[in-house]
């Protein structure tokens, strides 16, 4: 029953993987809106939630893993103010997809079990900044502000914390 619920609902999926958090009504609302984006009912969504309220847990970790489970042929570009932040998200998403329980929910979605930087011997790339879904068309790519995403296309683009803080927001540049 839990597997079926996780397959149908981003909120149920998130709760199953992040049992240490206490989720409340607005987490469910965020999850429903993100699910609407992933399933094509909403084209653009902006979330404004204070720091440390699990916005990134849902939007920048769980939702991306769930989206690849629902549609392994997605192209995702993920960005944040700093490359360290978004690469941390990338590692967390990879850990979710590597999880045995994830495979029970979405058996068609997997990533290379080893870190592979190039396409030699038909291996699927798996690095922190880019990884590909095995036997599918597309992939995940992440970059910090100023990183090289020019020329890359995506089905889903996520920008999480594009400005580091008040000083950056007030800067002329």
């Amino acid at each position: 029953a839990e597997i079926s619920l996780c397959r149908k609902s981003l909120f149920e999926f998130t709760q199953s993987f992040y049992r240490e958090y206490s989720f409340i009504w607005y987490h469910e609302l965020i999850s429903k809106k993100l699910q609407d984006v992933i399933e094509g009912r909403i084209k653009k969504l902006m979330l404004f939630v204070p720091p440390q309220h699990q916005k990134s847990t849902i939007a920048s970790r769980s939702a991306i893993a769930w989206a690849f489970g629902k549609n392994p042929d997605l192209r995702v570009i993920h960005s944040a103010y700093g490359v360290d932040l978004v690469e941390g998200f990338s590692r967390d998403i990879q850990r979710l997809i590597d999880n045995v329980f994830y495979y029970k929910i979405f058996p068609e979605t997997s990533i290379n079990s080893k870190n592979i930087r190039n396409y030699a011997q038909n291996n699927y790339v798996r690095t922190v900044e880019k990884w590909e879904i095995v036997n599918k068309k597309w992939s995940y790519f992440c970059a910090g502000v100023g990183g090289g995403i020019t020329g890359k296309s995506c089905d889903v683009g996520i920008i999480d914390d594009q400005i580091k803080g008040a000083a950056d927001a007030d800067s002329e540049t």
Side-chain angles (χ1 to χ4, degrees):
E2 184 179 6
I3 289 171
S4 179
L5 284 173
C6 288
R7 197 174 289 135
K8 291 178 186 170
S9 164
L10 172 58
F11 185 61
E12 295 294 333
F13 176 87
T14 303
Q15 289 182 103
S16 291
F17 281 93
Y18 294 95
R19 295 183 189 275
E20 68 273 21
Y21 294 131
S22 296
F23 291 100
I24 58 173
W25 66 270
Y26 71 86
H27 297 117
E28 186 170 8
L29 178 62
I30 288 170
S31 297
K32 284 180 179 178
K33 294 299 181 183
L34 286 164
Q35 185 167 336
D36 284 343
V37 170
I38 293 163
E39 294 177 345
R41 290 183 293 276
I42 295 177
K43 296 293 180 200
K44 296 177 184 177
L45 176 67
M46 294 173 70
L47 301 173
F48 298 95
V49 181
Q52 304 304 307
H53 282 72
Q54 282 76 47
K55 169 191 55 73
S56 293
T57 298
I58 300 169
S60 284
R61 292 178 180 95
S62 185
I64 296 171
W66 191 82
F68 275 119
K70 297 296 279 185
N71 182 0
D73 286 321
L74 283 177
R75 296 170 293 179
V76 174
I77 294 178
H78 195 185
S79 182
Y81 66 81
V83 71
D84 291 347
L85 179 63
V86 77
E87 286 181 352
F89 293 148
S90 173
R91 284 188 293 276
D92 292 343
I93 299 161
Q94 290 181 50
R95 285 185 200 106
L96 287 173
I97 294 173
D98 282 339
N99 188 295
V100 173
F101 185 61
Y102 182 93
Y103 184 76
K104 289 178 181 177
I105 301 166
F106 298 116
E108 299 295 316
T109 304
S110 65
I111 53 180
N112 199 325
S113 62
K114 298 178 183 173
N115 286 342
I116 303 291
R117 184 158 289 284
N118 60 42
Y119 294 95
Q121 301 172 355
N122 295 321
N123 286 317
Y124 288 88
V125 170
R126 180 176 180 173
T127 64
V128 70
E129 64 275 349
K130 179 180 179 171
W131 39 269
E132 301 169 313
I133 303 296
V134 173
N135 294 324
K136 300 300 176 185
K137 291 190 281 189
W138 301 113
S139 62
Y140 171 96
F141 182 79
C142 70
V145 169
I149 62 171
T150 303
K152 292 177 174 46
S153 59
C154 67
D155 301 303
V156 176
I158 297 171
I159 303 169
D160 189 324
D161 294 332
Q162 73 272 17
I163 299 172
K164 186 175 183 176
D168 286 350
D170 291 336
S171 122
E172 260 187 56
T173 56

